[in-house]
Amino acid sequence: MDTKEVLAALSAMAQESRLGIFRLLVQVGPEGMAATRIAKQLDIMTRMNMFVSLPLQMLEKNAIEREIQAIGATTV
């Protein structure tokens, strides 16, 4: 990861709800969890969940894109 990516990842965790969501999703694993279950388990409002999880979704998207690029680079 370059510096900008590291800073984006750290800033995404710099809020209590975001960090809680991240920790919960790491524990749950690749099968994930519905937003309503996350909100109930962490006792946060559902409408806030989309706002809180958006930076995490962006980071996941970037990580997936990097993996795809790495796979493409090794198969060429």
Side-chain angles (χ1 to χ4, degrees):
M1 292 177 101
D2 69 9
T3 301
K4 282 186 176 184
E5 291 173 327
V6 171
L7 290 173
L10 292 173
S11 69
M13 297 296 110
Q15 201 269 346
E16 186 177 350
S17 296
R18 291 178 185 162
L19 183 57
I21 291 170
F22 177 77
R23 287 178 171 169
L24 180 60
L25 291 174
V26 167
Q27 290 174 356
V28 171
E31 60 272 4
M33 181 182 284
T36 53
R37 281 192 61 205
I38 292 171
K40 285 179 184 177
Q41 188 154 344
L42 298 178
D43 196 29
I44 58 176
M45 298 179 336
T46 304
R47 69 173 187 263
M48 294 248 334
N49 202 26
M50 282 296 290
F51 174 76
V52 169
S53 65
L54 190 58
L56 297 175
Q57 292 172 4
M58 296 294 288
L59 288 172
E60 181 180 0
K61 178 182 174 277
N62 291 339
I64 291 169
E65 287 174 353
R66 282 194 305 276
E67 287 181 35
I68 291 170
Q69 289 173 352
I71 291 169
T74 59
T75 59
V76 173

